[in-house]
Amino acid sequence: MGGCHSYPSATEAGSKSHPSDISKGKLGINNNNLEERPYLQEQYVCQRITQTHMSTLTTLPPGVDKTEWLASNTVAFFKHVNLFSSALSEFCTPSTCPTACGPGNMIYMWTDDHGRKLKCSAPLYFDYAMSYIQDLLTDEDVFPTKTGSVFPTGFFFLAQKVFLLLFRTLAHIYWSHYRETVALGLQGHLNTLFTHLTSFCRQHTLLEPEDIEPMLDLINALGQQD
């Protein structure tokens, strides 16, 4: 069974630059070799495709089994994140993204079936991640669909792992492909999806504080809009 780890980049930017218009300047490999975080600019952070309060979408409805609620949302979030990342796949290549990284150039490492940590390109890392999740979702022993079936005892742990991978996928998009996201006019969709996912994770304790810390500035900024 594969896995995931993250490590700080060996190289840190020597100085921080102030956010500037996203259309100006060259961002380099991974589209962000600076400490700029254009997605925090007010003109972008306020954009959503719905003004629905996220708590209405994330709170367990009365009478619904919690594990069933978690499972159904896991499937839905996978479909949405996979669809969104597919829209940007032509921009995420081994040459543009030689490493899978997130804000602050945090590097994501994949752990293979033998426990070996692999430093791979972003498209390869996220292909591993989506394939791993897809295999889980289609495994009747993990995500049962037949009446009377029960979820495995380790289901919550597996769900946490899935949401960590989905979170990292969106973090990479914000950090490395935000310019393309804006060019395609998808920043409102991205903000909505990210806010929904992080709100759901917070409501159901699916991510550890250290997992979300690299994106905490954006989470807080988007929370002020909710």
Side-chain angles (χ1 to χ4, degrees):
M1 180 180 292
C4 46
H5 293 272
S6 64
Y7 301 93
S9 172
T11 57
E12 297 290 342
S15 61
K16 293 185 178 181
S17 54
H18 297 288
S20 59
D21 190 297
I22 198 169
S23 64
K24 297 177 181 178
K26 296 182 180 180
L27 298 179
I29 290 179
N30 283 96
N31 295 332
N32 203 330
N33 59 356
L34 304 174
E35 283 293 315
E36 294 182 355
R37 303 192 183 203
Y39 49 80
L40 293 176
Q41 293 180 33
E42 185 176 355
Q43 69 195 82
Y44 298 122
V45 81
C46 66
Q47 296 189 32
R48 301 272 192 90
I49 60 171
T50 178
Q51 296 305 314
T52 302
H53 198 283
M54 288 301 162
S55 64
T56 64
L57 302 177
T58 61
T59 302
L60 177 68
V64 175
D65 178 77
K66 184 174 182 178
T67 307
E68 289 281 1
W69 179 244
L70 179 57
S72 63
N73 276 274
T74 302
V75 174
F77 276 117
F78 168 69
K79 291 180 179 179
H80 287 305
V81 173
N82 194 36
L83 179 63
F84 196 95
S85 61
S86 296
L88 295 164
S89 60
E90 66 179 289
F91 307 112
C92 188
T93 67
S95 58
T96 62
C97 300
T99 59
C101 63
N105 282 324
M106 176 70 72
I107 296 175
Y108 303 138
M109 307 282 281
W110 188 260
T111 303
D112 67 12
D113 294 338
H114 303 288
R116 295 173 299 193
K117 295 180 178 62
L118 307 177
K119 183 178 179 181
C120 47
S121 67
L124 183 57
Y125 178 92
F126 294 111
D127 181 61
Y128 285 153
M130 294 301 141
S131 296
Y132 170 78
I133 298 173
Q134 182 68 53
D135 287 345
L136 283 183
L137 299 184
T138 55
D139 187 341
E140 275 289 329
D141 292 330
V142 181
F143 280 80
T145 58
K146 298 177 181 177
T147 304
S149 299
V150 296
F151 289 91
T153 54
F155 179 78
F156 185 75
F157 168 77
L158 292 173
Q160 286 181 307
K161 191 171 182 179
V162 168
F163 276 94
L164 176 59
L165 292 171
L166 296 178
F167 178 85
R168 288 181 174 179
T169 303
L170 297 183
H172 176 73
I173 291 173
Y174 271 110
W175 182 248
S176 298
H177 302 294
Y178 196 70
R179 180 174 59 184
E180 292 88 351
T181 299
V182 172
L184 293 173
L186 296 175
Q187 64 271 22
H189 293 76
L190 180 58
N191 284 347
T192 303
L193 177 56
F194 183 75
T195 303
H196 188 188
L197 185 141
T198 53
S199 297
F200 187 81
C201 289
R202 182 172 59 249
Q203 179 98 32
H204 302 285
T205 323
L206 292 165
L207 292 174
E208 299 295 334
E210 59 266 27
D211 296 328
I212 66 173
E213 195 280 330
M215 296 293 288
L216 196 56
D217 50 4
L218 178 61
I219 292 172
N220 291 335
L222 291 171
Q224 294 174 5
Q225 307 293 324
D226 200 3

